[in-house]
Structures are given as C-alpha cells and as structure tokens.
Amino acid sequence: MRRVVIVAVALVCTNGLLVASADHTVETVPTAAAKPANSAVGALFLDGTHYCTASVVHSDQGNEVVTAAHCIHDGQDGSYLTGVSFAPGFHDGVAPYGYWEVSDERVLPGWSDSSDQDLDVGFAKVRRAGSDTTVESLTGANKLAVNSPAERPVKVTGYPDGIDTPAVCATTTKREETFQLRVECPGFATGTSGGPWIEDPDPNTELGTVVGVIGGYEYGGDTDDVSYSSYFDDDVAALYRQATAGP
C-alpha cells in the first residue's frame, strides 16, 4: 500500500537512547488535523510533491530525522534518493518552519543489500542553506526507544498522498512477527510511510518517544486500515548512533 511509486524515503540517556515502557491501553481514535500538534513531524518532498513522512529525533547536533528506509533508499540494487526535502509541521500547503535539505541518509546494510522488511528504518540529517539554525531548536524533538515492549499506546501521524493535512490516530501497538509490529488506524494510505509511532506524547507539545515508523511488512501495509513497523532493536540503535555521531 505505502510503497512510494516514484522510488523505483527531553534528552536521551548517555547511550543515546531511552527505552520507554507503558502498562495502559487506549482505543483507536482516527482524526484529521488541520495542523499537527507535534511540530517535529513533517512531510518529505521530492520534485515538489510530498510522498513520505518523517520526524525529528533528538541528537547532539539537533538536525536528525527518522523515517522508513524505503523513503530514502530504493533497497536492493538501488541507491539513496537525492533532492529530498523535509517540511516539519506541514499543514494546508504551508511549511511553517520552511523546507530543509535532506542529506547524509543512513539505512542498514540488510535494507540496502536485500530490502529486508525487518530493517525498514532510516535516518538522515536536515539543514537549511545559509543557516546554522538547527531544526530541533525550532520544532523540538522526539526521543528514540529500542527493545521496548510490543504492546503500548501510541499516537501515529502520517501524510497521505494528495492531502496536505496529516492523518492522526491514537491506538495500541501489537506484535505481528518477531521483528514486526502493527497498529490498526483507518485512513493511513500511501504517503504515510515513515510516520512516527509516538508513545507518551506531552499534552502541550505532543513530543514523546518514537517506538516505530510506518514501514516494514509490505512497505507499511497493503490496506489503509492496518500499518506496520520494523521492530526497533539493537540494529536500529547502532544505526542511530552511527547517524548522529558526525557533525
């Protein structure tokens, strides 16, 4: 469902990660938001059209985003996409924080070599030409969690193709396979790939902890009502550390 047609993209602990957990559940509540409450979530653009979703994650440099690997890399026998930009807080055709150049993309070898659906996670840096301002200083950032319990309440956000307002859903994650999670959220169509699954969002900023992104099985799912994520484990932790190690 969510494969991109044009493609063939509070502080963390001392180890760079925060493992969060929860013991309560919420009901699935899909909504349409004219403006995303979480400004760290935005749309990825290529050739003037948004095609995927990404979100800012905390880093010392303040310029890192997380998305699905297939949003920034073609997978097996492919390469990284070029000319991609990120618009945090995008809504109603407006980019309130501007458009940020995406660079230094990182995916795991299992994705680039064999399109392993269990490794459909990617990171990238974003910058604005001629400015030293970091995206995190403007939008804030979510934390990143790995090796977390399979079932937890989350808020999912993504930008369906052809729609300039994000789809938002409060739901509960479930284990699908050893390295796959799923959520049930109506209306998450093509374009929502890379949309973050955020646990414990702050009631004011909606910033929280990313425990998954739409991707994985069938590039995120083959229906609009069920979405998937590769499980965030030690491989994702290692990729995050690699991606955030440089300037």
Side-chain angles (χ1 to χ4, degrees), residues 159-178:
Y159 289 85
D161 280 359
I163 301 175
D164 286 343
T165 56
V168 182
C169 172
T171 185
T172 301
T173 64
K174 305 289 184 182
R175 176 78 70 183
E176 179 67 14
E177 297 177 355
T178 302

Side-chain angles (χ1 to χ4, degrees), residues 3 20 30 43 45 89 113 120 122 124 147 166 175-176 179 192 195 199-200 205 209-210 213-214 243 245:
R3 179 159 192 180
F45 283 77
D113 295 343
D120 192 3
N147 297 322
R175 176 78 70 183
E176 179 67 14
F179 298 109
T192 58
E199 184 185 38
D200 291 333
T205 65
T209 301
V210 179
V213 296
I214 294 177

Side-chain angles (χ1 to χ4, degrees), residues 119-160:
L119 301 173
D120 192 3
V121 183
F123 295 91
K125 289 182 170 54
V126 297
R127 297 182 176 86
R128 278 196 306 198
S131 174
D132 293 330
T133 301
T134 66
V135 67
E136 186 171 336
S137 69
L138 299 178
T139 67
N142 298 298
K143 307 166 191 172
L144 183 75
V146 301
N147 297 322
S148 303
E151 294 193 12
R152 58 240 310 238
V154 295
K155 181 169 283 188
V156 182
T157 303
Y159 289 85

Side-chain angles (χ1 to χ4, degrees), residues 9 64-70 72-73 80 102-109 111-112 119-125 236 238-247:
V9 179
E64 202 73 28
V65 298
V66 62
T67 186
H70 74 261
I72 55 175
H73 191 284
Y80 287 104
V102 173
S103 63
D104 196 22
E105 300 97 327
R106 302 292 179 98
V107 298
L108 289 158
W111 177 263
S112 56
L119 301 173
D120 192 3
V121 183
F123 295 91
K125 289 182 170 54
V236 174
L239 182 64
Y240 169 82
R241 287 193 291 268
Q242 180 189 69
T244 58

